[in-house]
Amino acid sequence: MIGLTVRQMQYFDALAQTLHFGRAAKLAGVSQPALSAQIAEMEERLNCLLFERGGKTVRMTDEAIALQPRIERILADIRDVETTARRGRPTMEGRFRLGIIPTVAPYLLPHVLPELKKQYPALQLELREAVTASLVEDATSGRLDAFIAALPLDQPAIVTDELFPDRFFLAVPAGDPAFASPPVPPESPALERLMLLEEGHCLREQALAVCGNVRSVAMASYGATSLTTLLQMVAHGLGVTLVPEMAARAAGVMPDLRIVPFQEPMPQRLICMAWRRNKVRQDECVELARIIRGLDRAVLGA
């Protein structure tokens, strides 16, 4: 009998996600030597190499790649068993794994985290910031209990609950004569200088949708992975970029940067709470959505 432990499968899952022993140990909440020892014991019990180590790089072997979806399903089933056993107990207690997209996390979390700590001190919130596709995958596989993203999601296995609208503004270099008289029409030729986040970020697709009448061939993509990076580039005169209303206040205080509105009706995105359709953590998801909707919209810049 092989006798793999749940702990070993959890460590395997963490290392498969990160491909880095240090980050995997942090994700699993253990020391790196402890995680390495359990992975080595797992490999010994299975009599095969699961991860190739080469200096600072880690690569999954073919055996590990074949095992990964099975281990994910086992861990998801275990989490469902644990959650089902909690039914009848008070909600908003214990571990809750929440994902959130990068263009929402730094602007929403400073307001929602203190509120959660005040109302539900027994809640152990674990956060993961990632693009929408990764959050959907993690939620459907059971690695996340819920996530916050922008609609639409169009995932049959995912339930969504709308939180609030978030209007779009335009960040431009201060003193740029092309934007001397806002509001900006979405078909303005000046938007050909629009800079986009790299592929995978929903804000990129939203920007393309907002400025769909502009020649997309002229829009620049610098592979930026954060809105903060794009705003710095705008401040240095390299172009313009779309900025959500919740980020507009912080962006507006940056030197050499100006935030201008679009023509009415102003384009917007809809932020939602999303979770798996199995209803296992639905009560907590609904309560968390209620708390976020109850936040003072003024503090979010909306």
Side-chain angles (χ1 to χ4, degrees):
M1 183 175 179
I2 294 176
L4 293 182
T5 67
V6 173
R7 178 180 298 175
Q8 287 168 349
M9 288 188 283
Q10 289 172 333
Y11 293 177
F12 172 94
D13 184 54
L15 188 54
Q17 288 185 56
T18 60
L19 295 179
H20 187 281
F21 277 91
R23 288 194 291 269
K26 185 176 180 180
L27 182 63
V30 296
S31 67
Q32 184 173 330
L35 183 136
S36 298
Q38 288 296 318
I39 293 295
E41 184 176 335
M42 185 178 182
E43 290 175 325
E44 183 178 347
R45 291 186 177 186
L46 293 173
N47 193 30
C48 67
L49 184 68
L50 297 174
F51 297 94
E52 294 182 358
R53 294 83 158 166
K56 294 183 178 181
T57 63
V58 177
R59 191 179 73 85
M60 295 175 67
T61 64
D62 291 342
E63 290 81 3
I65 292 171
L67 279 175
Q68 186 179 16
R70 299 182 183 185
I71 287 178
E72 286 179 347
R73 286 196 296 269
I74 291 170
L75 294 175
D77 287 342
I78 291 172
R79 286 189 286 263
D80 284 350
V81 168
E82 292 172 343
T83 303
T84 301
R86 291 184 66 252
R87 286 180 176 170
R89 302 179 189 179
T91 59
M92 305 299 280
E93 289 186 359
R95 183 188 188 204
F96 189 90
R97 298 154 304 163
L98 179 68
I100 187 165
I101 57 175
T103 55
V104 170
Y107 314 108
L108 178 62
L109 291 178
H111 306 292
V112 72
L113 292 181
E115 193 65 26
L116 284 174
K117 186 176 181 180
K118 180 176 70 176
Q119 294 193 34
Y120 297 103
L123 183 68
Q124 300 168 12
L125 194 64
E126 297 179 7
L127 296 169
R128 168 167 162 71
E129 184 179 303
V131 297
T132 302
S134 296
L135 297 180
V136 169
E137 181 181 345
D138 285 350
T140 53
S141 67
R143 290 194 293 265
L144 287 176
D145 297 309
F147 64 93
I148 297 171
L151 290 169
L153 292 176
D154 297 327
Q155 295 289 333
I158 297 293
V159 177
T160 62
D161 187 2
E162 187 177 316
L163 297 175
F164 54 84
D166 189 25
R167 297 183 301 172
F168 286 122
F169 289 76
L170 196 64
V172 304
D176 191 320
F179 302 97
S181 302
V184 180
E187 66 277 6
S188 169
L191 293 177
E192 292 179 2
R193 298 155 52 202
L194 189 72
M195 296 186 296
L196 307 171
L197 289 171
E198 69 176 7
E199 294 281 356
H201 287 264
C202 62
L203 189 59
R204 174 190 178 91
E205 304 306 319
Q206 291 155 359
L208 291 172
V210 169
C211 307
N213 293 327
V214 179
R215 291 187 302 126
S216 59
V217 292
M219 294 185 183
S221 178
Y222 290 88
T225 59
S226 76
L227 180 58
T228 301
T229 299
L230 283 184
L231 292 173
Q232 289 288 348
M233 295 167 73
V234 171
H236 284 82
L238 298 180
V240 302
T241 197
L242 211 64
V243 58
E245 186 170 11
M246 61 166 50
R249 179 178 296 173
V253 300
M254 293 177 61
D256 303 316
L257 194 71
R258 182 179 172 214
I259 304 300
V260 297
F262 283 96
Q263 277 185 350
E264 294 287 354
M266 289 182 64
Q268 64 179 28
R269 61 179 179 173
L270 294 175
I271 306 301
C272 74
M273 177 75 67
W275 62 91
R276 277 192 298 165
R277 197 174 286 277
N278 63 5
K279 298 185 179 181
V280 172
R281 304 300 298 268
Q282 179 167 293
D283 289 348
E284 287 98 333
C285 295
V286 170
E287 177 63 9
L288 183 54
R290 182 194 68 79
I291 290 172
I292 293 173
R293 279 194 294 265
L295 292 173
D296 185 350
R297 301 292 290 123
V299 302
L300 294 178

